[in-house]
Amino acid sequence: MIRLHNDYNRGACAKILEKLAETNAESYDGYGEDTWCEKAADLIRKKCNAPEAAVHFFPGATQANFIVHAAALSPIQSVICPDSGHVYAHEAGSIENTGHKLVPLPSADGTITAEQICKAVKSYYEAGEPNYLCEPKMVYISFPTEWGTLYSEQDLKDIRKVCDEYGMYLFVDGARLGYGLGSVKNDVTLEKLAELTDVFYIGGTKCGALFGEALVITNAGLARKFRTYMKQNGAVLAKGWLLGLQFCALLEDDTYEKMTAQADAYAMEIKAAFKEKGIPEFVDSYTNQQFVIVTDEQAEQLAKEYTFEQERTLEDGRKVVRFCTSWATTEAEKDQLIGDIRAL
Amino acid sequence: MIRLHNDYNRGACAKILEKLAETNAESYDGYGEDTWCEKAADLIRKKCNAPEAAVHFFPGATQANFIVHAAALSPIQSVICPDSGHVYAHEAGSIENTGHKLVPLPSADGTITAEQICKAVKSYYEAGEPNYLCEPKMVYISFPTEWGTLYSEQDLKDIRKVCDEYGMYLFVDGARLGYGLGSVKNDVTLEKLAELTDVFYIGGTKCGALFGEALVITNAGLARKFRTYMKQNGAVLAKGWLLGLQFCALLEDDTYEKMTAQADAYAMEIKAAFKEKGIPEFVDSYTNQQFVIVTDEQAEQLAKEYTFEQERTLEDGRKVVRFCTSWATTEAEKDQLIGDIRAL
Amino acid sequence: MIRLHNDYNRGACAKILEKLAETNAESYDGYGEDTWCEKAADLIRKKCNAPEAAVHFFPGATQANFIVHAAALSPIQSVICPDSGHVYAHEAGSIENTGHKLVPLPSADGTITAEQICKAVKSYYEAGEPNYLCEPKMVYISFPTEWGTLYSEQDLKDIRKVCDEYGMYLFVDGARLGYGLGSVKNDVTLEKLAELTDVFYIGGTKCGALFGEALVITNAGLARKFRTYMKQNGAVLAKGWLLGLQFCALLEDDTYEKMTAQADAYAMEIKAAFKEKGIPEFVDSYTNQQFVIVTDEQAEQLAKEYTFEQERTLEDGRKVVRFCTSWATTEAEKDQLIGDIRAL
Amino acid sequence: MIRLHNDYNRGACAKILEKLAETNAESYDGYGEDTWCEKAADLIRKKCNAPEAAVHFFPGATQANFIVHAAALSPIQSVICPDSGHVYAHEAGSIENTGHKLVPLPSADGTITAEQICKAVKSYYEAGEPNYLCEPKMVYISFPTEWGTLYSEQDLKDIRKVCDEYGMYLFVDGARLGYGLGSVKNDVTLEKLAELTDVFYIGGTKCGALFGEALVITNAGLARKFRTYMKQNGAVLAKGWLLGLQFCALLEDDTYEKMTAQADAYAMEIKAAFKEKGIPEFVDSYTNQQFVIVTDEQAEQLAKEYTFEQERTLEDGRKVVRFCTSWATTEAEKDQLIGDIRAL
């Protein structure tokens, strides 16, 4: 069985396992105050061309998401996001649990536009003061989105402009950031993300690490006492060097970028195979997640050799399914799938 | 430099690293729905003689602590704990952040008594209804405590009785559980803990794992939808098998028990050495943490070769310091320290 | 200027002022433990034919709304409501501030159907366990709705059935309850509300009281320690008898029912006048709030003598406006408006 | 029976009832946007010599207390207070329910000193960064305290100095402010309070109003969008003018100051009577609350004609009881009590 149902079903890239073994007997300072975290943070600041950025390492993405909200917002402030946003749809009300309202904007492909955001914010300011609505204070988007789609540099600039106009933070969930950066259609860089957002993260868990996400905060106001927010919410790992070490392994020789770009490239071949076969796409994704519409028969046939995720059932009974390559997908696995698509 | 300032400054026991390497290329179901977690949970249920217990794996102890509170308590309910309790004194207000009041009871050595608890609870019930105080609904204690001390089986039975009388949960923070179980003075077992508490955890991070704690819930009411609380608070690791696998490695051949008992034994030798030397103890601990009172000169001398943690300064200027053995402490390290204590 | 922009712009019905004056020198027990509150609660239990119901008096409706949520729900539980629901749209994120997610269902006229609710709930249960969505645990509706519309007894029975099937509470916001009960189209009674809901309130502030709402809890589970939740959130008035006294005054001789029925009757005459004039309704309301679509010219003309609330601007530039009768609206005021509508 | 168990067992001073009756048929703008609130706020700003202060009217004191905390603090920030502070001891965990830790300092008479506060704060800053303790950000004290005692102007200046040094807000709970201002021992004025605090309130409920407290915010940073916090927590009364009107009635001709000063004067006579009789005081209070230590026999005798509150039982079996005069206490009531004390 070839497992393509998600991008987190295998351990970590070899370099990480090696580094763990090498350093296992070393003694380090706890809670991320170690040399690996320091080195990884420096590396990230350099790649982002953001020498002043605060960098923090999280065990997982849900933590990164809700702790940024908890630290950034006062009780009366809300967040604008796509209705497909991970924080709105998949994390068991984690943001509301911190006391904040999410304002979901309709999105067919996982992205929202500067214009949509602007309209939503305006309705708040038009209500005047005293205002009995929540103050929109942050925009949350994912790059790439939950549907595998991307924002262009221009899209981000437009959203940034709205955020500046209305005093809002821009937060980019980068749980799959590598697959966004590696896409053939992408024109965004780490430098641009650092420049255009207030805070974003570089996803490790889905991009070759055992676990871990690297949060980059470029807005100094947001960075204040951030580690205390992390501790309060259980996101400061006692053996913090495990995270720093992994990000060093991933980022040192562009391993991260190379692994995710390869997964994207394989996904493009799979995308083409579906297209050739006349199997329609549900969204036009150029990253490692491919969403296609299959008949029950096709799904059954593919399920013999591959795991994939079923997203929803269309009114005509066909299924939207996701095939997901990852840093761990091999050329042989990809080739076999393409062969089997052609043979459907 | 021999590092004895805490028990989480080195990686993991060899078996864990081996298992990680062996399984790195395997594909597993996400979010703890894998075979390793299942196997580890079964092992724990067996060791606890609690076939119906719910077992959940957490990346870290702060998460375990606050999520138990979040799941167990309604907004008007409070928790009784020692004033030295980790949740009260060291976790950045994580419990209050979930909306709950902690009622700290004075404790000289980290423990509290059934009598103290009973008195605190009674004052609530004597206020009658409608009652404008918080309803005490849980007792939180640590085993061993933050000062290395222990509760006897009888202590726990007495506390259990008060909890039963007033309808309260008993929650035992077992971040260092192994060092408690391995103590020469201990008469508590995993079975007894499962029987006498509603929920407790078996600490991994400080006891030989890379990271991770295993929560055991024996009160079925508390177990309801517990995974959703974990997800909401970011404690469901995407690659959950990393936790199950570690607990399998630790618990399969009693590796956990053996490693921590050895650390305790080394600590007893160090305790004896301090005693012989006439260096007074701050508390009478029989686990891996030894708290002694040293002069500036002694501290300076020991600091040349050893790291240790300074806890507080006494009024006469002497220092309370902690020497902490761990699963990773070697016989040679222990012997060297004993020699240097004698030479003070 | 005749003020019809809302139903809370004047003091209280004469009986209340008299009772306040009569009792001003009396001494009472504090925090609602007085004879007036007891008497009012008994009166309400009798009118509701709910001898076991818990009755609590709140200074205001926002408090009643969010405290019911705080007391009823655990952190992972959510609430289903119309997207026009007061708690979703007008109360500054008060529910999210208690940590709970609201699941808004689309509603054109302020009501939602059992079928809509059922569909929303099903999607949760179809996700299986462990479930990383919020558990739907309550349905919040308003009677009458924010658009002046009503649920029939059959509508409520259908919703109750869904609630029973999925273990959900049914909470009815009755801030304008009197105007619902008094409507010519209404077939719901206090008895029926008590029977079909778990908790609802009888609005005072908008229905002739100076301030205050009477919450009726028929679900014993929900009633547990409810006063403590109220105290925690600042809803226990020190001089609680002020609330009990008002509800006695309102409910003793059916003053409440009579006053609101009259306001409804006036509204029906105004509704008819708009209809005759060919001024379209925005929703077909049979209670004291009338929403009509006027041109700028008509709005300007009416604004000379009347205050009314502008709700929104339609795409063609016409305005949706609300004319609101109340317990304080006089026959002369109503007649003058009708004359002026005819003269438009 | 003469009721001296608290200062909120009777309605309101005559002027308030008159004003309510006079204005009952008037129509006003809702939610505190009316002329009475405006007038009352101006009056308060003038009395405080704080022309820029924000003034908000609350239905009750618990609301004022917790909403100030909610608006002032981020999730990692804590509050220093006396262990007898109302927010710590009597409000059902309302502050913790907003997510904030209270740091109680021991207090025998209800007051805390600048020195105590300074010491508590220092321990936080000595921990360095990253800091896993809560950041102390506010000092909460009551004037007069729950034990009827007072802070002198110098006390407040000293506390202010510590607050300035460590960037903390100073919040004064003035639920009984009038009785503090009217005390023979008092040297604090409204002007001084406005100058030395960031936020405080002028209690109405216990000082002659039907209900209501007037919050004065002199720190502009704290005032931002304050009404939205109030709305979110249900503290914006629909008929807000009821509060403005009461404060106009109380403050216009110094009615407030005169009424509370008289209650204080009566209390001084009662204090003297107890002293003459040899009945010891529990605290040396110069305001309307008098706490004395009585035998069972004395308590029984007094209970025949008077209501008073029992606070606690001493180890020797004697009782600490409170006799509380108020704006509504008459000369005859006071004289009768003095006679009966002498006759004990």
Side-chain angles (χ1 to χ4, degrees):
Chain A
M1 192 68 94
I2 295 173
R3 291 169 73 103
L4 299 166
H5 59 297
N6 65 32
D7 34 21
Y8 45 88
N9 62 68
R10 267 175 279 190
C13 67
K15 278 184 64 180
I16 283 177
L17 269 280
E18 284 160 24
K19 265 201 156 64
L20 277 177
E22 276 167 27
T23 61
N24 191 49
E26 297 290 316
S27 166
Y28 295 104
D29 284 337
Y31 304 116
E33 300 297 302
D34 62 90
T35 47
W36 285 110
C37 284
E38 197 185 330
K39 198 174 160 191
D42 282 343
L43 204 51
I44 288 169
R45 279 187 280 260
K46 210 167 168 184
K47 287 208 176 208
C48 292
N49 192 24
E52 306 297 326
V55 176
H56 300 288
F57 300 100
F58 282 75
T62 301
Q63 290 176 313
N65 282 339
F66 84 78
I67 295 171
V68 165
H69 286 73
L73 306 175
S74 101
I76 58 160
Q77 295 176 333
S78 63
V79 179
I80 293 171
C81 65
D83 57 10
S84 55
H86 214 259
V87 291
Y88 186 69
H90 301 290
E91 296 183 334
S94 66
I95 304 304
E96 290 88 350
N97 186 45
T98 67
H100 302 294
K101 195 185 192 80
L102 290 166
V103 179
L105 302 184
S107 166
D109 72 349
T111 63
I112 49 175
T113 65
E115 199 182 349
Q116 277 181 290
I117 297 165
C118 193
K119 197 178 154 196
V121 180
K122 265 186 182 160
S123 73
Y124 168 77
Y125 284 99
E126 284 167 6
E129 287 292 332
N131 196 320
Y132 298 143
L133 302 171
C134 290
E135 181 189 8
K137 189 63 188 173
M138 189 153 80
V139 171
Y140 164 95
I141 55 176
S142 305
F143 183 90
T145 70
E146 292 72 13
W147 290 109
T149 53
L150 296 170
Y151 293 86
S152 69
E153 189 187 326
Q154 190 57 50
D155 292 337
L156 294 181
K157 280 182 175 167
D158 292 346
I159 292 174
R160 174 77 266 167
K161 208 177 147 195
V162 178
C163 288
D164 284 344
E165 195 174 345
Y166 292 104
M168 298 190 294
Y169 299 117
L170 177 55
F171 174 25
V172 170
D173 171 338
R176 291 191 171 92
L177 188 61
Y179 303 115
L181 298 178
S183 166
V184 290
K185 290 278 184 177
N186 176 54
D187 68 349
V188 173
T189 60
L190 282 174
E191 284 194 33
K192 284 294 165 193
L193 276 172
E195 183 192 324
L196 294 171
T197 73
D198 296 281
V199 51
F200 73 99
Y201 59 94
I202 304 172
T205 302
K206 293 174 176 171
C207 303
L210 275 179
F211 65 104
E213 327 291 316
L215 190 81
V216 182
I217 310 178
T218 51
N219 183 319
L222 242 177
R224 183 179 186 274
K225 291 190 180 286
F226 200 83
R227 293 293 286 275
T228 309
Y229 291 97
M230 290 177 64
K231 178 68 179 176
Q232 185 176 64
N233 289 291
V236 177
L237 206 64
K239 301 185 183 176
W241 69 86
L242 297 175
L243 296 165
L245 173 155
Q246 290 185 78
F247 275 93
C248 282
L250 287 174
L251 296 170
E252 271 170 356
D253 308 309
D254 299 336
T255 305
Y256 184 80
E257 291 88 337
K258 288 174 196 162
M259 285 194 308
T260 49
Q262 186 182 69
D264 283 340
Y266 288 171
M268 289 307 94
E269 291 187 54
I270 293 165
K271 179 186 176 88
F274 278 121
K275 202 163 194 174
E276 278 167 37
K277 191 66 192 180
I279 292 176
E281 295 176 338
F282 186 69
V283 287
D284 188 22
S285 159
Y286 291 87
T287 61
N288 73 316
Q289 300 181 85
Q290 293 298 316
F291 299 88
V292 290
I293 302 169
V294 293
T295 62
D296 275 348
E297 202 180 10
Q298 290 167 334
E300 209 172 301
Q301 189 62 28
L302 288 166
K304 287 179 186 163
E305 291 289 330
Y306 308 92
T307 63
F308 48 89
E309 202 173 86
Q310 185 178 317
E311 303 295 322
R312 61 175 75 171
T313 303
L314 299 182
E315 296 208 347
D316 62 11
R318 288 181 302 162
K319 306 275 194 305
V320 177
V321 298
R322 178 181 77 169
F323 284 84
C324 203
T325 62
S326 81
W327 59 278
T329 305
T330 63
E331 190 166 13
E333 290 174 333
K334 177 260 299 175
D335 286 341
Q336 187 177 332
L337 173 60
I338 289 170
D340 286 339
I341 292 170
R342 287 180 180 151
L344 278 174
Chain B
M1 192 67 94
I2 294 173
R3 292 170 73 101
L4 299 166
H5 59 297
N6 65 32
D7 35 21
Y8 46 88
N9 63 69
R10 267 175 280 192
C13 68
K15 277 184 65 181
I16 283 177
L17 269 281
E18 284 159 23
K19 264 200 157 65
L20 277 177
E22 277 168 26
T23 61
N24 191 49
E26 297 290 315
S27 166
Y28 295 105
D29 284 337
Y31 303 115
E33 301 296 303
D34 61 274
T35 48
W36 284 109
C37 284
E38 197 185 329
K39 198 174 159 190
D42 282 343
L43 205 51
I44 287 168
R45 278 187 281 260
K46 210 167 167 185
K47 288 208 175 208
C48 293
N49 192 23
E52 307 297 326
V55 176
H56 299 288
F57 301 100
F58 281 76
T62 302
Q63 289 176 313
N65 282 339
F66 84 79
I67 294 171
V68 166
H69 286 72
L73 306 174
S74 100
I76 58 161
Q77 296 176 333
S78 63
V79 180
I80 292 172
C81 65
D83 58 9
S84 55
H86 214 259
V87 291
Y88 186 68
H90 301 289
E91 295 184 334
S94 65
I95 305 304
E96 290 89 350
N97 186 45
T98 68
H100 303 295
K101 194 183 192 81
L102 290 166
V103 179
L105 301 183
S107 166
D109 72 349
T111 63
I112 48 175
T113 66
E115 200 182 349
Q116 277 182 289
I117 296 166
C118 192
K119 196 178 154 198
V121 180
K122 266 186 182 159
S123 73
Y124 168 78
Y125 284 100
E126 284 166 6
E129 288 289 334
N131 197 318
Y132 299 143
L133 301 172
C134 291
E135 181 189 8
K137 188 66 188 171
M138 189 152 80
V139 172
Y140 164 96
I141 56 176
S142 305
F143 183 90
T145 69
E146 291 72 12
W147 289 109
T149 52
L150 296 170
Y151 293 85
S152 70
E153 189 186 327
Q154 190 57 51
D155 293 337
L156 294 181
K157 279 181 177 168
D158 293 345
I159 293 174
R160 173 78 266 167
K161 208 177 146 194
V162 178
C163 288
D164 284 343
E165 195 174 343
Y166 292 104
M168 296 191 295
Y169 300 117
L170 177 55
F171 173 26
V172 170
D173 171 338
R176 290 191 172 91
L177 188 61
Y179 303 115
L181 298 178
S183 167
V184 288
K185 290 276 184 178
N186 177 52
D187 68 349
V188 173
T189 60
L190 282 175
E191 285 193 33
K192 284 294 165 194
L193 277 171
E195 184 192 323
L196 294 170
T197 73
D198 297 282
V199 52
F200 75 99
Y201 59 94
I202 304 171
T205 303
K206 293 173 176 171
C207 302
L210 275 179
F211 64 105
E213 327 291 316
L215 191 81
V216 182
I217 310 178
T218 52
N219 182 319
L222 241 177
R224 183 180 186 275
K225 290 190 180 288
F226 200 83
R227 293 292 286 276
T228 310
Y229 291 97
M230 291 177 63
K231 178 67 180 177
Q232 184 176 65
N233 289 291
V236 177
L237 205 64
K239 302 184 183 176
W241 70 86
L242 297 175
L243 296 165
L245 173 154
Q246 290 185 78
F247 275 92
C248 282
L250 287 173
L251 296 169
E252 271 169 355
D253 309 309
D254 299 335
T255 305
Y256 184 80
E257 290 89 336
K258 289 174 196 164
M259 287 193 307
T260 50
Q262 187 182 71
D264 283 340
Y266 289 170
M268 288 308 93
E269 292 187 52
I270 293 165
K271 178 185 176 90
F274 277 121
K275 202 163 194 174
E276 278 166 39
K277 192 67 193 180
I279 291 177
E281 293 175 340
F282 186 69
V283 288
D284 188 21
S285 159
Y286 291 87
T287 60
N288 72 317
Q289 300 181 84
Q290 293 299 316
F291 299 88
V292 290
I293 303 170
V294 293
T295 62
D296 274 349
E297 203 179 10
Q298 291 168 332
E300 210 172 300
Q301 190 62 28
L302 287 165
K304 286 179 187 164
E305 290 289 330
Y306 308 92
T307 63
F308 48 88
E309 201 174 87
Q310 186 179 315
E311 302 296 323
R312 60 177 75 170
T313 302
L314 299 181
E315 295 208 348
D316 62 10
R318 288 181 303 162
K319 306 274 194 305
V320 177
V321 298
R322 179 181 75 169
F323 283 84
C324 203
T325 63
S326 81
W327 61 276
T329 305
T330 64
E331 189 166 13
E333 290 173 334
K334 177 259 300 175
D335 287 341
Q336 187 177 332
L337 173 59
I338 289 170
D340 286 340
I341 291 170
R342 288 178 179 151
L344 276 175
Chain C
M1 191 66 93
I2 295 173
R3 291 169 73 101
L4 300 165
H5 59 298
N6 66 31
D7 34 22
Y8 45 88
N9 63 68
R10 266 175 280 193
C13 67
K15 277 184 65 182
I16 284 177
L17 269 281
E18 284 160 22
K19 266 201 155 66
L20 278 177
E22 277 168 25
T23 62
N24 191 50
E26 297 290 316
S27 166
Y28 295 105
D29 284 338
Y31 304 117
E33 300 298 301
D34 61 274
T35 47
W36 284 110
C37 284
E38 197 185 330
K39 198 173 159 190
D42 282 342
L43 205 50
I44 287 169
R45 279 188 280 261
K46 209 166 168 186
K47 288 208 175 207
C48 292
N49 191 24
E52 306 298 325
V55 177
H56 300 287
F57 300 100
F58 282 75
T62 301
Q63 289 176 313
N65 283 339
F66 84 79
I67 294 172
V68 165
H69 286 71
L73 306 175
S74 100
I76 58 160
Q77 296 176 332
S78 63
V79 180
I80 293 172
C81 66
D83 58 10
S84 55
H86 214 259
V87 291
Y88 186 69
H90 301 290
E91 295 183 335
S94 66
I95 305 305
E96 290 88 350
N97 186 45
T98 68
H100 302 295
K101 194 183 191 82
L102 290 166
V103 179
L105 301 184
S107 167
D109 73 348
T111 63
I112 49 175
T113 66
E115 200 182 349
Q116 277 182 290
I117 296 166
C118 193
K119 197 178 153 196
V121 180
K122 266 187 181 159
S123 73
Y124 168 77
Y125 284 99
E126 284 167 5
E129 287 292 333
N131 197 320
Y132 298 144
L133 302 171
C134 290
E135 181 188 9
K137 188 65 188 172
M138 189 152 80
V139 172
Y140 164 96
I141 56 176
S142 306
F143 183 90
T145 70
E146 291 73 12
W147 289 109
T149 52
L150 296 170
Y151 292 86
S152 69
E153 188 187 328
Q154 190 58 50
D155 293 337
L156 293 181
K157 280 182 175 166
D158 293 345
I159 292 174
R160 174 76 264 167
K161 208 177 145 194
V162 179
C163 288
D164 284 343
E165 194 174 345
Y166 292 105
M168 297 191 294
Y169 299 117
L170 177 55
F171 173 25
V172 170
D173 171 338
R176 290 192 172 93
L177 188 62
Y179 303 115
L181 298 177
S183 168
V184 289
K185 290 277 185 176
N186 176 53
D187 68 350
V188 173
T189 60
L190 281 175
E191 284 193 33
K192 284 293 165 194
L193 276 172
E195 183 192 325
L196 294 171
T197 74
D198 296 283
V199 51
F200 74 98
Y201 58 93
I202 304 171
T205 303
K206 294 173 176 170
C207 302
L210 275 179
F211 65 104
E213 327 291 317
L215 191 81
V216 182
I217 310 179
T218 52
N219 183 319
L222 241 178
R224 183 179 187 275
K225 290 193 180 286
F226 201 83
R227 293 292 286 274
T228 310
Y229 291 97
M230 289 176 65
K231 178 67 180 176
Q232 185 176 65
N233 290 291
V236 177
L237 205 65
K239 302 184 183 175
W241 70 85
L242 297 175
L243 296 165
L245 172 155
Q246 290 185 78
F247 275 93
C248 282
L250 287 174
L251 296 169
E252 272 169 355
D253 308 309
D254 300 335
T255 305
Y256 184 80
E257 291 89 335
K258 288 174 195 163
M259 284 194 309
T260 50
Q262 186 181 72
D264 283 340
Y266 289 172
M268 289 308 94
E269 292 187 53
I270 293 165
K271 180 187 176 87
F274 278 122
K275 201 162 195 174
E276 279 167 37
K277 192 66 193 180
I279 291 176
E281 294 175 339
F282 186 68
V283 287
D284 188 21
S285 157
Y286 290 87
T287 61
N288 73 316
Q289 300 181 84
Q290 293 298 315
F291 299 89
V292 290
I293 302 169
V294 294
T295 62
D296 275 350
E297 203 179 9
Q298 290 168 332
E300 207 173 302
Q301 189 62 28
L302 287 165
K304 287 180 186 163
E305 291 289 330
Y306 308 92
T307 63
F308 49 88
E309 202 174 85
Q310 185 177 317
E311 303 296 323
R312 61 176 74 171
T313 303
L314 299 181
E315 294 208 349
D316 62 9
R318 289 180 302 162
K319 306 273 194 307
V320 177
V321 297
R322 178 181 76 169
F323 283 84
C324 204
T325 62
S326 81
W327 60 277
T329 305
T330 64
E331 189 166 14
E333 289 173 334
K334 177 260 303 176
D335 287 342
Q336 186 177 332
L337 173 59
I338 289 169
D340 285 340
I341 291 170
R342 288 181 178 150
L344 277 175
Chain D
M1 191 67 93
I2 294 173
R3 292 171 72 100
L4 299 166
H5 59 297
N6 66 31
D7 35 20
Y8 46 88
N9 62 68
R10 266 174 281 191
C13 67
K15 277 185 65 183
I16 283 177
L17 270 281
E18 284 160 23
K19 266 202 154 65
L20 277 177
E22 277 168 25
T23 61
N24 191 49
E26 297 291 315
S27 166
Y28 295 104
D29 284 337
Y31 304 116
E33 301 297 302
D34 61 273
T35 47
W36 284 108
C37 285
E38 196 184 332
K39 199 175 160 190
D42 282 343
L43 205 51
I44 287 168
R45 279 187 281 260
K46 209 167 169 184
K47 286 207 177 209
C48 293
N49 192 24
E52 306 297 326
V55 176
H56 300 287
F57 300 100
F58 282 75
T62 301
Q63 290 176 312
N65 282 339
F66 84 79
I67 295 171
V68 165
H69 286 73
L73 306 175
S74 100
I76 58 160
Q77 296 176 333
S78 63
V79 179
I80 293 172
C81 65
D83 57 9
S84 55
H86 214 259
V87 291
Y88 186 68
H90 301 289
E91 295 183 335
S94 67
I95 304 304
E96 290 89 349
N97 186 45
T98 68
H100 302 293
K101 194 184 192 79
L102 289 166
V103 180
L105 301 184
S107 167
D109 73 348
T111 63
I112 49 175
T113 65
E115 200 182 348
Q116 276 180 291
I117 296 165
C118 193
K119 196 178 154 198
V121 180
K122 266 187 181 158
S123 74
Y124 168 78
Y125 284 99
E126 283 167 7
E129 289 290 335
N131 197 318
Y132 298 143
L133 301 171
C134 291
E135 181 189 8
K137 189 64 188 173
M138 189 152 81
V139 171
Y140 164 97
I141 55 176
S142 305
F143 183 91
T145 70
E146 291 73 12
W147 289 108
T149 52
L150 295 170
Y151 293 86
S152 69
E153 187 186 328
Q154 190 57 50
D155 293 337
L156 294 181
K157 280 183 176 166
D158 293 346
I159 292 174
R160 173 77 265 166
K161 208 178 146 195
V162 178
C163 289
D164 284 343
E165 195 174 344
Y166 292 103
M168 296 190 295
Y169 299 117
L170 177 55
F171 172 26
V172 170
D173 171 338
R176 289 191 172 93
L177 188 60
Y179 303 115
L181 297 178
S183 168
V184 288
K185 290 277 184 175
N186 176 53
D187 68 348
V188 173
T189 60
L190 282 175
E191 284 193 34
K192 284 293 165 195
L193 276 171
E195 183 191 324
L196 294 171
T197 74
D198 296 283
V199 52
F200 74 99
Y201 59 92
I202 304 171
T205 303
K206 293 173 176 171
C207 302
L210 275 180
F211 64 104
E213 327 291 317
L215 190 81
V216 181
I217 310 178
T218 52
N219 182 319
L222 242 178
R224 183 180 185 274
K225 291 193 180 286
F226 200 83
R227 292 293 285 275
T228 310
Y229 291 97
M230 291 177 64
K231 177 69 180 176
Q232 185 177 63
N233 290 290
V236 177
L237 204 66
K239 301 184 183 176
W241 69 87
L242 297 175
L243 296 165
L245 172 156
Q246 289 186 79
F247 276 93
C248 282
L250 287 174
L251 296 169
E252 271 170 357
D253 308 309
D254 299 335
T255 306
Y256 184 81
E257 291 88 338
K258 289 173 196 163
M259 286 193 308
T260 50
Q262 187 183 69
D264 284 340
Y266 288 171
M268 289 308 94
E269 291 187 53
I270 294 165
K271 178 185 176 89
F274 279 122
K275 201 162 195 175
E276 280 166 36
K277 190 67 192 179
I279 291 177
E281 292 176 340
F282 186 69
V283 289
D284 188 21
S285 159
Y286 291 87
T287 61
N288 72 315
Q289 299 181 86
Q290 293 298 316
F291 299 88
V292 290
I293 302 170
V294 293
T295 62
D296 275 349
E297 203 180 9
Q298 290 167 333
E300 211 173 299
Q301 190 61 29
L302 288 165
K304 287 179 186 162
E305 291 288 330
Y306 308 91
T307 63
F308 48 89
E309 201 173 87
Q310 186 177 316
E311 303 295 323
R312 61 176 74 170
T313 303
L314 298 182
E315 295 208 347
D316 62 10
R318 289 181 302 161
K319 307 274 193 308
V320 178
V321 298
R322 179 181 75 169
F323 284 84
C324 203
T325 62
S326 81
W327 60 277
T329 305
T330 64
E331 189 165 15
E333 290 173 334
K334 178 259 302 175
D335 287 340
Q336 187 178 333
L337 173 59
I338 289 170
D340 286 339
I341 291 170
R342 288 178 178 151
L344 277 176

